[in-house]
């Protein structure tokens, strides 16, 4: 695929497709989020994303260590999203990139390689974005009849991620030194798919049109 960055044009090839949007129900002030499924042709966008996001600029109130940690999480997500066997999503709000999620399937289990929120303005993250992300993840797991979802939660991130994952049905699996391995089985997934629609409305777009996400970064 050829990319013309100067004129912001793609040759006809694979690009992101907007598959759904969500809006808050319990809290109508929540920003609407749009979900895009990435394809192999979106690698130039991923490279541009890695170059464009600086947590030092976006989250100046955080310590340097936490800024660096968050940047590493984003870069890891982008690296994993480059893999051909990964399924990856980009989340936007107000025409700005606000998150990325990527995973791969392994023996009837989804392994969540990475999930990362991206502030849309200085010190401004999209509230409850994680629930939209995990609704999509659980939806994929359910439709593929997976046994569950596995993730390795970091213990030195900018927030208490363990508690947030536990709210989404995950339970501790084992304790490695730097990460906490967690698993959400198919019964908990089904439970979350029943509960989350009370908080967020998930609206499928039915679109097949490919979109150029690079324009959201320039």
């Amino acid at each position: 695929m050829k990319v013309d960055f100067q004129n912001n044009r793609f040759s006809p090839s694979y690009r992101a497709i907007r598959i759904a949007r969500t809006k808050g129900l319990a809290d109508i002030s929540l920003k609407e989020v749009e979900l895009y499924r990435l394809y192999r042709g979106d690698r130039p966008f991923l490279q541009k994303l890695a170059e464009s996001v600086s947590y030092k600029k976006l989250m100046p109130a955080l310590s340097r260590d936490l800024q660096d940690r968050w940047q590493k999480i984003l870069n890891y997500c982008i690296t994993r999203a480059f893999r051909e066997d990964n399924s990856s999503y980009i989340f936007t709000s107000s025409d700005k990139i606000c998150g990325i999620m990527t995973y791969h399937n392994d023996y009837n289990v989804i392994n969540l390689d990475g999930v990362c929120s991206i502030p849309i303005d200085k010190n401004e993250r999209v509230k409850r974005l994680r629930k939209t992300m995990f609704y999509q993840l659980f939806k994929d797991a359910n439709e593929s009849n997976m046994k569950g979802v596995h993730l390795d939660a970091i213990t030195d991130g900018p927030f208490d991620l363990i508690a947030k994952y536990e709210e989404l049905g995950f339970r501790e699996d084992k304790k490695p030194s730097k990460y906490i391995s967690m698993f959400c089985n198919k019964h908990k997934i089904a439970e979350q798919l029943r509960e989350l629609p009370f908080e967020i409305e998930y609206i499928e777009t039915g679109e097949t049109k490919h979109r150029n996400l690079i324009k959201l970064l320039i």
Side-chain angles (χ1 to χ4, degrees):
M1 182 182 76
K2 296 181 180 180
V3 182
D4 182 348
F5 284 107
Q6 183 175 359
N7 296 311
N8 196 30
R9 292 197 305 269
F10 279 86
S11 63
S13 186
Y14 301 108
R15 283 169 290 170
I17 293 180
R18 185 175 64 173
I19 62 167
R21 58 187 177 88
T22 64
K23 57 183 181 180
L25 290 177
D27 183 354
I28 60 174
S29 69
L30 294 178
K31 291 183 179 293
E32 185 172 297
V33 175
E34 295 186 330
L35 291 70
Y36 291 83
R37 180 177 285 119
L38 296 183
Y39 294 88
R40 200 173 90 181
D42 290 303
R43 290 178 175 181
F45 159 74
L46 289 170
Q47 183 63 44
K48 187 78 170 176
L49 178 64
E51 297 167 355
S52 301
V53 176
S54 169
Y55 286 94
K56 291 179 183 179
K57 294 179 180 179
L58 289 170
M59 299 296 286
L62 290 181
S63 68
R64 180 60 63 89
D65 286 344
L66 288 178
Q67 290 170 348
D68 290 343
R69 185 62 173 136
W70 208 336
Q71 195 77 48
K72 288 179 181 178
I73 294 171
L74 174 64
N75 291 339
Y76 181 75
C77 288
I78 291 172
T79 298
R80 299 297 293 184
F82 268 88
R83 294 168 57 99
E84 292 192 13
D85 59 342
N86 269 47
S87 296
S88 303
Y89 294 92
I90 286 292
F91 303 82
T92 71
S93 183
S94 302
D95 290 327
K96 295 181 179 181
I97 308 297
C98 64
I100 182 173
M101 179 175 72
T102 184
Y103 70 83
H104 70 278
N105 298 337
D106 186 19
Y107 298 105
N108 295 321
V109 169
I110 282 182
N111 277 296
L112 180 60
D113 291 306
V115 58
C116 185
S117 64
I118 301 170
I120 57 175
D121 281 307
K122 186 180 290 186
N123 295 320
E124 181 183 351
R125 298 185 304 124
V126 174
K127 294 180 181 179
R128 300 198 180 182
L129 173 64
R130 188 172 301 275
K131 293 196 174 183
T132 291
M133 292 173 160
F134 276 83
Y135 184 86
Q136 183 63 51
L137 184 68
F138 292 150
K139 184 174 181 293
D140 288 354
N142 181 64
E143 292 176 353
S144 300
N145 197 29
M146 292 291 169
K147 294 180 180 178
V149 176
H150 168 266
L151 62 84
D152 287 323
I154 62 173
T155 58
D156 58 348
F159 307 104
D160 184 0
L161 294 175
I162 306 303
K164 291 183 181 296
Y165 290 140
E166 287 177 340
E167 288 178 3
L168 289 164
F170 286 85
R171 294 295 178 264
E172 189 174 326
D173 194 13
K174 57 183 178 179
K175 282 190 176 181
S177 58
K178 192 174 182 180
Y179 302 94
I180 293 182
S181 179
M182 305 185 78
F183 188 76
C184 185
N185 63 42
K186 64 189 307 180
H187 303 295
K188 285 292 184 180
I189 288 173
E191 182 179 295
Q192 289 296 316
L193 287 173
R194 290 191 299 268
E195 292 181 359
L196 286 173
F198 288 101
E199 298 184 49
I200 56 174
E201 182 179 6
Y202 181 97
I203 306 160
E204 294 189 32
T205 64
E207 291 184 10
T208 58
K209 176 184 177 182
H210 295 285
R211 293 173 177 256
N212 179 359
L213 293 181
I214 286 182
K215 66 182 181 181
L216 301 182
L217 298 173
I218 61 177

